[in-house]
Amino acid sequence: MNIRKLKKRNAKNQYEHRVNRKYKDSLFRKIFSDRKDLLDLYNALNDTQYTDEEELTVTTLEDVIYVSIKNDVSFLLGGTMNLYEHQSSYNPNMPIRGLIYFARLYQNYIDECEINVFSPVLKHLPRPKFIVFYNGSKDEPDQKLLRLTDAFTETGESGESCLECCATMLNINYGHNYELMEKCRRLEEYSAFVAEVRKALAEGGNQRQAVDDAIDTCIEKGVLRDILIKERAAIMNMVLSCTEKQYERLVRKELEQQEKRIKEQEKKLRAGKKRIEEQENRMRQQQGQIEEQEDKMRQQQGKIEEQDSQMRRQQETIRDQERLLELIRILVREKKYNLLEQIQEDPALCEKLMVQYEI
């Protein structure tokens, strides 16, 4: 297949994934912005039987306020601060985002309740609970625990981290988490609707007609019937939110971004290769210097050994001379003058006399 066509197809798949993700996120928030549905979801997750919707204190963070921070639903109930996030693609960084979300939420809670955190008396805060509802295309288990500490760089130091944030990721794709779906009808309907739209889009053909048929099918089955009838046009626009021209622009933009990323990667590879070559050159130079130093050390060692050998020979000569001198003294003392001349010419006799006199 032509590379450009392959890139274009990949860009199309990513575009469709992006559009689908957008409508799913929006639809999830639309459904559970209703207090009754939100309370039903809470009861299903926690095996509780709350019925008073007024017990909910919604504290949702909005994009308008926090441009770089976005969460789906957060609320206070039963002494817990609940954060519900919808994800249409697997994201292992949710605990990091949760840490940021909870920092904002607790700051708001402390300000609104006028809690003095400098007080010598312990102040109580609601317990945090972070649930991530996942319905991306990647196969994931029914439940998965994501930890903030998994993101920390290993330093080799022992002991527990002073900071942790856990996110429980629940797979809400159709066919997963049966018990939860049975307890929360709205969540099951949402899951079934997404599955029906995916099926319709996968069959190809006219996308608008496919989505329209999927909505009709769900209405007939009673899946999100009230929302689909009331918000049909809005939900249709959620799914089909881009025109062909916008799509072409997105494809071109995606191709440009891919080419840019490839060039950046090639640049990084060249820079990395250059750094490796420089390191290899430095290593060769260092190796040469080490070998040169080793040669010098070997030469110095040879000189030291030669000097030691000369010193040993000199010491032996000095000892021989001292022994000879002692023998001469003995012979002079005993007036054996004839032997003085003989020992000069006969080394064997000289040695024999040294043994005799124990010199």
Side-chain angles (χ1 to χ4, degrees):
M1 180 182 290
N2 185 284
I3 294 178
R4 181 166 289 276
K5 287 183 178 180
L6 181 61
K7 288 182 178 179
K8 188 172 182 179
R9 188 183 69 180
N10 291 338
K12 179 180 179 181
N13 292 338
Q14 292 179 15
Y15 158 77
E16 290 176 348
H17 174 66
R18 182 162 54 247
V19 172
N20 289 340
R21 179 175 61 194
K22 182 179 178 181
Y23 94 77
K24 286 186 288 181
D25 291 347
S26 301
L27 182 58
F28 184 89
R29 284 194 296 274
K30 178 180 285 294
I31 292 172
F32 293 104
S33 62
D34 182 89
R35 283 176 175 270
K36 181 180 181 305
D37 291 329
L38 185 58
L39 188 59
D40 287 343
L41 180 60
Y42 178 88
N43 286 331
L45 288 169
N46 297 281
D47 290 325
T48 52
Q49 301 296 327
Y50 287 105
T51 56
D52 187 359
E53 299 164 19
E54 295 303 318
E55 292 186 37
L56 290 177
T57 302
V58 180
T59 56
T60 303
L61 301 176
E62 299 293 346
D63 288 342
V64 177
I65 300 173
Y66 303 111
V67 177
S68 62
I69 300 176
K70 179 179 181 180
N71 75 302
D72 285 358
V73 182
S74 65
F75 57 94
L76 290 167
L77 185 67
T80 59
M81 181 174 287
N82 301 273
L83 181 62
Y84 291 172
E85 174 85 4
H86 179 274
Q87 284 290 300
S88 296
S89 60
Y90 176 70
N91 186 349
N93 298 307
M94 291 309 297
I96 301 176
R97 294 169 60 175
L99 176 67
I100 299 171
Y101 296 156
F102 280 120
R104 300 285 189 181
L105 290 169
Y106 276 116
Q107 183 64 60
N108 292 342
Y109 180 82
I110 290 169
D111 292 342
E112 290 174 4
C113 297
E114 298 182 353
I115 296 175
N116 181 13
V117 294
F118 299 101
S119 170
V121 179
L122 179 64
K123 301 298 182 181
H124 296 284
L125 298 173
R127 184 182 300 274
K129 188 171 185 179
F130 189 14
I131 303 294
V132 176
F133 297 97
Y134 166 80
N135 71 338
S137 57
K138 182 182 177 183
D139 188 28
E140 291 292 341
D142 279 8
Q143 181 170 320
K144 187 173 186 178
L145 187 64
L146 307 177
R147 297 180 180 274
L148 176 66
T149 48
D150 292 337
F152 294 155
T153 304
E154 291 291 338
T155 61
E157 297 180 1
S158 59
E160 295 183 359
S161 167
C162 71
L163 194 63
E164 179 63 290
C165 181
C166 297
T168 301
M169 188 179 80
L170 300 177
N171 190 340
I172 58 170
N173 279 300
Y174 198 70
H176 288 268
N177 280 300
Y178 293 106
E179 288 187 25
L180 179 62
M181 298 297 177
E182 287 179 357
K183 293 177 181 178
C184 184
R185 174 60 181 167
R186 274 301 194 200
L187 189 63
E188 182 182 19
E189 290 180 357
Y190 167 76
S191 178
F193 175 74
V194 171
E196 195 67 40
V197 171
R198 276 178 174 162
K199 178 182 176 182
L201 291 174
E203 292 175 354
N206 186 296
Q207 287 192 343
R208 177 170 290 277
Q209 186 61 49
V211 174
D212 199 45
D213 292 342
I215 291 175
D216 285 339
T217 301
C218 288
I219 291 174
E220 291 174 5
K221 293 180 179 179
V223 174
L224 297 181
R225 178 183 176 84
D226 54 337
I227 295 177
L228 292 177
I229 292 175
K230 183 179 178 181
E231 305 283 350
R232 183 184 189 110
I235 293 173
M236 177 71 75
N237 288 332
M238 285 182 191
V239 182
L240 303 171
S241 58
C242 293
T243 63
E244 287 299 318
K245 290 183 179 180
Q246 289 174 321
Y247 166 67
E248 290 297 332
R249 283 199 298 270
L250 285 170
V251 170
R252 285 196 299 270
K253 184 177 180 181
E254 186 64 32
L255 288 172
E256 291 172 359
Q257 290 176 346
Q258 287 183 354
E259 290 172 356
K260 184 178 179 181
R261 285 194 293 268
I262 291 171
K263 289 179 180 179
E264 289 176 351
Q265 290 175 351
E266 290 175 346
K267 185 178 179 180
K268 289 179 180 178
L269 286 172
R270 286 194 297 270
K273 184 178 179 181
K274 184 178 179 181
R275 284 196 297 272
I276 292 172
E277 290 175 351
E278 290 174 351
Q279 290 175 351
E280 288 176 346
N281 288 334
R282 283 196 295 269
M283 289 178 64
R284 282 194 291 270
Q285 290 174 0
Q286 291 173 352
Q287 185 65 30
Q289 291 173 355
I290 291 171
E291 292 174 354
E292 185 178 346
Q293 290 175 352
E294 289 176 346
D295 288 340
K296 289 180 180 179
M297 289 178 64
R298 283 194 291 270
Q299 292 174 3
Q300 290 175 352
Q301 185 66 29
K303 290 179 180 179
I304 292 171
E305 291 175 355
E306 185 178 350
Q307 290 174 354
D308 288 342
S309 179
Q310 290 176 355
M311 287 180 65
R312 285 193 294 272
R313 288 195 297 272
Q314 290 174 357
Q315 289 172 352
E316 290 174 359
T317 301
I318 292 171
R319 283 196 298 270
D320 291 343
Q321 290 176 351
E322 288 176 346
R323 291 176 67 203
L324 179 59
L325 182 59
E326 181 65 22
L327 179 59
I328 290 172
R329 287 195 188 100
I330 293 171
L331 292 176
V332 168
R333 191 166 52 246
E334 294 180 357
K335 297 181 180 182
K336 296 179 180 181
Y337 302 112
N338 59 324
L339 293 176
L340 292 174
E341 294 182 359
Q342 293 179 20
I343 62 175
Q344 298 294 334
E345 298 176 356
D346 190 350
L349 176 61
C350 181
E351 185 64 31
K352 182 179 179 182
L353 291 172
M354 286 182 182
V355 173
Q356 180 183 338
Y357 289 108
E358 299 180 352
I359 299 173

